[in-house]
Amino acid sequence: MQRVLFLFLSILFATFSYAGGEKVPYPGGKCWMFRVYLKDKAGCKYNVDNPEAFLSPKALERRRRQGLAVDFTDLPVSDVYLSDLRRSGFDVVCTSKWNNTVLLRATDSTLVDKLGAMPFVSSWRHVFTSSDSLKVHNNDFEISPFLKNNSTKYQGYYGKGERQIALHHGDSLHAAGYRGAGITIAVLDGGFSNVDRIPAFANTRILGTRNFIWPGEESVYRFGAHGTEVLSTIAANDSNRFVGTAPEASFYLFCTEDGDTETPTEEDYWSAAAEYADSLGVDILSSSLGYHTFHNKADNYRYCDLDGHKSLCSNSASMLADKGMILVCSAGNEGRGSWKKITVPADAENVITVGALNKDTINTAFSSIGPTSDGRVKPDVMAIGGPATVISESGTLDESSGTSFACPLTAGLVACLWQARPELNAKDLIKLIQQSGDRADCPDNIFGYGVPDMWKAAKTR
């Protein structure tokens, strides 16, 4: 599989490894995790006057281009505090410099008693308890034989993907030469099974991968069909069969979703991945993940919590535009249930939350609705998601339903638009996309601003 992997990227992954946590293997048996909020960053060896020590040249150039300053939130968590926590018997799983938090793991639940005596700890909460045995993924995942028998071609360059790009006039952007080149997208999901083997991804520019859930496991390609399908809507490049919305963009693939559990730790992984993406210079994050209920019902969110800041990952997401990035996220699939509302981080400020349409451009029954608890319109825009054409983990063309697929379709279109309008900052581009929607004159909390016309947005001055 062809890959664009430059030496400097390997250096970046080593230099900025703190942004994504540490490679700490899971112990056998019982363990507990705690999210610790720190009071300050005293002892941090970095300073805002020397940002090149903790942000890549691409990240700094992105900020410079948008007139954004490096600030206190960008400074890494204090190494002094991390060392103290390790000496007390905790494993540091990951950190969030923007929230100044640490996710800790302990094999002895009584260790938590030490946190209250640490002067640099502001507060802490219990976020995870393992079962007696933790699942270990199998690295010998067998490739599907279907991968060898997929040569069917269809009429038209986009093949089965034509409707879901033409709805937004994204094909016009492509025809004008805007196919995502020069734009970097990080896809946050639960795994990207067989992406390294499926022919339609053979020319996809994957710059790097990282597994935030199982850090001892190098490959993200051996489990997780959902991420494969999500990525295909953006990155697939198989003419007359299936072409995604940004086939010339570059990608990082990050695993942040633990399919075995539903706990608040996934928000810590999500936030760590977002910050890591920032440090690498990523432009757009595509996240088809959402949270509102957990295994421990005491952790569940209430509607009043959907203010863009109550949840850890929403608070992180609300900072992204101020770092020069755009988050495109799924609204959620709760429309048929009792919750009905968007899930976090879809409630974040200055992001693009995407709801799902069927192929007749009617909102699907499952697509989550707004508004946020502080009254902001959600979703922001709509795209095909009920169902969307995708490539399965077997390499076959398939259809899958969910705002999970409306989201990456839109993320790819945002990449093409930003390539066409590089002078715009993140917040201005979000506003432009909203105003290009077919309901922009009267947005609501079912369709948001409607179906965005990306070609119209590209031409608007």
Side-chain angles (χ1 to χ4, degrees):
M1 183 176 182
Q2 296 178 2
R3 292 280 181 255
V4 180
L5 293 174
F6 299 105
L7 176 61
F8 83 91
L9 286 172
S10 298
I11 296 172
L12 284 180
F13 268 69
T15 303
F16 304 121
S17 62
Y18 63 83
E22 304 176 359
K23 292 196 172 185
V24 181
Y26 276 95
K30 203 80 168 179
C31 72
W32 295 260
M33 292 193 196
F34 307 94
R35 181 186 301 154
V36 175
Y37 293 80
L38 304 175
K39 291 182 178 179
D40 54 46
K41 295 185 177 180
C44 177
K45 62 185 179 181
Y46 302 99
N47 62 74
V48 294
D49 296 324
N50 190 29
E52 59 273 10
F54 53 92
L55 292 173
S56 70
K58 190 174 187 297
L60 293 172
E61 171 57 24
R62 186 193 65 224
R63 296 186 188 214
R64 185 205 62 78
R65 187 175 67 250
Q66 299 184 49
L68 302 170
V70 176
D71 61 28
F72 172 81
T73 63
D74 296 305
L75 292 175
V77 170
S78 170
D79 286 327
V80 174
Y81 296 163
L82 296 181
S83 294
D84 284 349
L85 290 165
R86 292 189 192 97
R87 281 194 296 269
S88 296
F90 294 100
D91 292 326
V92 175
V93 179
C94 65
T95 67
S96 170
K97 57 185 179 180
W98 296 348
N99 296 287
N100 204 21
T101 60
V102 187
L103 181 64
L104 300 177
R105 184 172 59 240
T107 54
D108 177 358
S109 63
T110 64
L111 284 178
V112 72
D113 297 333
K114 296 183 178 182
L115 294 175
M118 294 179 177
F120 54 84
V121 171
S122 175
S123 62
W124 60 270
R125 61 176 290 199
H126 172 226
V127 290
F128 177 86
T129 300
S130 76
S131 59
D132 289 333
S133 61
L134 287 166
K135 176 180 176 182
V136 177
H137 288 282
N138 181 6
N139 276 328
D140 297 323
F141 182 89
E142 291 295 330
I143 187 169
S144 168
F146 292 109
L147 290 173
K148 300 177 181 178
N149 299 290
N150 278 280
S151 58
T152 303
K153 297 292 184 179
Y154 301 89
Q155 185 175 4
Y157 170 71
Y158 294 99
K160 289 288 190 178
E162 183 170 5
R163 173 60 172 158
Q164 53 203 39
I165 186 171
L167 177 65
H168 308 276
H169 299 130
D171 50 345
S172 297
L173 276 174
H174 284 194
Y178 304 116
R179 297 164 56 87
I183 305 297
T184 303
I185 303 172
V187 182
L188 282 59
D189 215 281
F192 303 87
S193 179
N194 280 336
V195 163
D196 58 337
R197 296 167 172 170
I198 295 173
F201 296 114
N203 296 312
T204 300
R205 293 169 55 91
I206 297 178
L207 302 180
T209 66
R210 190 157 195 168
N211 192 330
F212 289 78
I213 309 299
W214 302 93
E217 184 174 332
E218 295 302 322
S219 179
V220 302
Y221 300 129
R222 298 297 169 261
F223 54 89
H226 185 268
T228 303
E229 295 179 354
V230 163
L231 180 66
S232 72
T233 67
I234 320 173
N237 194 2
D238 191 353
S239 59
N240 303 113
R241 185 167 176 264
F242 185 57
V243 177
T245 51
E248 294 182 6
S250 299
F251 297 88
Y252 287 101
L253 309 182
F254 297 149
C255 292
T256 67
E257 172 72 10
D258 187 346
D260 300 329
T261 67
E262 196 72 8
T263 70
T265 57
E266 290 171 299
E267 295 193 51
D268 296 86
Y269 303 137
W270 194 100
S271 297
E275 293 175 19
Y276 190 40
D278 171 43
S279 72
L280 293 169
V282 166
D283 302 296
I284 296 167
L285 277 71
S286 178
S287 173
S288 295
L289 305 170
Y291 307 98
H292 76 94
T293 60
F294 300 98
H295 289 330
N296 181 358
K297 293 182 179 180
D299 293 324
N300 290 357
Y301 288 113
R302 302 167 298 169
Y303 175 62
C304 62
D305 296 326
L306 299 182
D307 62 359
H309 297 281
K310 176 70 173 181
S311 88
L312 187 79
C313 64
S314 292
N315 194 58
S316 296
S318 293
M319 297 185 190
L320 285 166
D322 288 321
K323 311 296 183 184
M325 294 180 286
I326 292 177
L327 169 64
V328 183
C329 60
S330 55
N333 302 323
E334 308 298 330
R336 287 194 181 101
S338 59
W339 176 259
K340 300 191 184 302
K341 299 294 187 180
I342 54 172
T343 53
V344 305
D347 63 319
E349 297 176 343
N350 300 311
V351 304
I352 299 175
T353 300
V354 189
L357 300 170
N358 65 24
K359 290 187 177 181
D360 295 321
T361 67
I362 303 299
N363 62 299
T364 63
F366 59 76
S367 189
S368 291
I369 62 174
T372 62
S373 63
D374 57 334
R376 286 174 287 117
V377 169
K378 288 290 175 180
D380 293 279
V381 297
M382 303 291 282
I384 297 293
T389 299
V390 301
I391 294 177
S392 73
E393 65 176 333
S394 299
T396 56
L397 285 180
D398 205 345
E399 290 188 333
S400 287
S401 292
T403 58
S404 284
F405 309 105
C407 163
L409 283 169
T410 304
L413 294 166
V414 174
C416 298
L417 178 60
W418 217 347
Q419 181 190 2
R421 299 295 304 274
E423 77 281 5
L424 296 178
N425 63 34
K427 291 181 180 179
D428 287 343
L429 194 71
I430 291 170
K431 290 177 183 177
L432 179 63
I433 291 167
Q434 291 170 335
Q435 292 306 310
S436 76
D438 61 2
R439 294 171 182 252
D441 61 335
C442 189
D444 59 46
N445 289 300
I446 297 175
F447 291 89
Y449 293 82
V451 177
D453 184 333
M454 296 299 191
W455 184 235
K456 173 185 175 181
K459 296 185 296 181
T460 300
R461 293 290 189 257

